[in-house]
Amino acid sequence: MTEPAAGRRRPPTIHDVAREAGISRGTVSRVLNGGHNVSPEALKAVNAAIRKTGYVVNRHARSLVTQRSDSVAFLLTEPQDRFFEDPNFNLLLRGCTTALAKHDIPLLLMIAGTEEERRRIGRYITAGHVDGVLLVSSHTGNPMVERLREAGMPVVACGKPLGHADTAYVAADDRTGARQLVGHLLATGRRRIATITGPLDTPGGVDRLSGYRETLAEAGLAQDPALVAEGDYSRAGGEAAMTALLAGAPDLDAVFVASDLMADGALAALAKAGRRVPEDVAVGGFDDSTIAAATRPALTTVRQPWDRISSEMVRLLLALIAGEPPSSVILPTELVQRDSG
């Protein structure tokens, strides 16, 4: 076996880790391949030895043994411009990356907003280049869920995928969040409360609209179609929907908007129409993204627990990859009161 050249330090090996930890090479190997059947003391010793020696896993060699790629895809099924416009996607990506880093697993960002992109990325994913998929933004009729499931690929969706009840997912409690916001508007004396929904082929769009309607019905207020406008989770969509609502129901005194980004657009439309916020029209959003505190006035909204959503998505996906059955998690929301209503 050739010795390293003079002055060049030999990279640490699994044998060095085992010697430093004072345990067998086999135990170190089990830790590196998922930590199954390893005591907490041994796991702690191996991790400390890895840090001290600077050992780096040879992913290619390990994948030949485990038949895994040791990587995960973050798949956004929206056009590319939405990824850069909507801060929620960046929050999810950052949270998932952080959660996976604790397991030394890299995350691959993939954007498939068109059918051609979905076919191409679907072929890549199902060819074994990743071990699982974190699926973000699944519209009704989106073929990616079924394609991935048919290929036996572990998938966890962000939000309850409509039409796929047996798919693992993590979601905020959209219905209750909407009820919190609309209930708050009612408590401040508003009675002509409009809403700008999310896309009604998405679970968030459907459940937030249901929460809005339920809360008005419980308050004894009639459902007025003129007070409902469908949006698309974009700023431009929120502005256009608010403009349409003002034209159809000029006496509205509040609006629940199903995302902060759309609410920012709604505030712009109200300003153009000469309506003061919150004096003339109260505005509430949903998400508590970075936009909410930056609007003028600052936006009253519903907070989604983005860090927990990300970490739970990763936890469920790693469980699926390990062979566990799919499960789902719904997380509570929180009303955040600011200056808009």
Side-chain angles (χ1 to χ4, degrees):
M1 186 172 180
T2 305
E3 292 294 326
R8 184 186 306 165
R9 185 181 178 186
R10 176 180 62 82
T13 68
I14 191 172
H15 299 283
D16 298 317
V17 174
R19 184 167 52 252
E20 178 65 35
I23 58 179
S24 71
R25 182 185 179 282
T27 300
V28 174
S29 180
R30 287 197 296 277
V31 170
L32 295 175
N33 288 301
H36 302 294
N37 301 316
V38 177
S39 70
E41 294 78 12
L43 179 63
K44 183 178 180 180
V46 171
N47 287 331
I50 288 172
R51 288 193 296 270
K52 185 172 182 178
T53 61
Y55 175 74
V56 177
V57 177
N58 184 328
R59 292 190 176 279
H60 177 67
R62 187 165 74 178
S63 68
L64 293 176
V65 176
T66 64
Q67 297 297 303
R68 291 181 180 174
S69 69
D70 282 336
S71 60
V72 165
F74 182 98
L75 177 57
L76 176 64
T77 55
E78 294 282 354
Q80 289 191 19
D81 58 340
R82 292 296 309 283
F83 174 75
F84 295 102
E85 180 188 28
D86 193 328
N88 295 335
F89 297 141
N90 288 277
L91 288 170
L92 278 171
L93 178 63
R94 183 178 65 190
C96 291
T97 301
T98 300
L100 283 165
K102 296 176 182 177
H103 301 273
D104 195 27
I105 298 175
L107 184 64
L108 307 181
L109 170 62
M110 301 180 182
I111 301 177
T114 67
E115 179 56 29
E116 180 182 353
E117 290 171 341
R118 286 190 283 268
R119 284 197 299 267
R120 182 170 61 250
I121 288 176
R123 288 195 298 269
Y124 179 87
I125 289 174
T126 57
H129 295 292
V130 298
D131 296 325
V133 176
L134 300 166
L135 181 64
V136 180
S137 190
S138 182
H139 296 255
T140 302
N142 184 337
M144 286 305 297
V145 176
E146 200 57 41
R147 288 178 187 173
L148 295 173
R149 285 168 51 82
E150 287 176 355
M153 178 62 59
V155 178
V156 175
C158 179
K160 181 172 52 182
L162 298 175
H164 297 279
D166 54 349
T167 297
Y169 69 87
V170 179
D173 191 342
D174 293 303
R175 187 185 301 257
T176 298
R179 291 174 63 89
Q180 290 171 321
L181 198 291
V182 177
H184 167 72
L185 294 174
L186 288 167
T188 62
R190 312 290 173 156
R191 286 299 178 268
R192 289 286 287 168
I193 302 174
T195 187
I196 299 174
T197 75
L200 295 179
D201 63 347
T202 63
V206 171
D207 285 347
R208 293 170 202 178
L209 176 59
S210 294
Y212 160 83
R213 285 175 167 162
E214 289 169 2
T215 309
L216 292 185
E218 290 170 5
L221 298 176
Q223 305 288 327
D224 186 347
L227 292 174
V228 178
E230 184 174 352
D232 61 0
Y233 288 145
S234 73
R235 187 183 189 281
E239 184 171 356
M242 189 72 248
T243 300
L245 285 171
L246 290 171
D251 60 336
L252 63 86
D253 60 9
V255 58
F256 161 51
V257 190
S259 79
D260 292 346
L261 187 57
M262 290 197 298
D264 190 28
L267 288 171
L270 288 165
K272 288 179 182 177
R275 301 293 184 92
R276 298 169 302 164
V277 177
E279 293 85 356
D280 300 326
V281 180
V283 178
F286 202 107
D287 292 330
D288 197 30
S289 64
T290 54
I291 292 171
T295 61
R296 293 293 178 269
L299 191 64
T300 291
T301 187
V302 174
R303 176 175 295 156
Q304 297 201 63
W306 294 112
D307 287 345
R308 288 193 63 196
I309 290 172
S310 300
S311 62
E312 285 296 297
M313 287 178 67
V314 167
R315 182 182 67 82
L316 293 185
L317 184 62
L318 294 181
L320 283 174
I321 292 170
E324 296 181 20
S327 59
S328 300
V329 175
I330 297 178
L331 298 171
T333 56
E334 178 186 353
L335 177 68
V336 180
Q337 297 183 41
R338 295 194 178 95
D339 302 327
S340 66

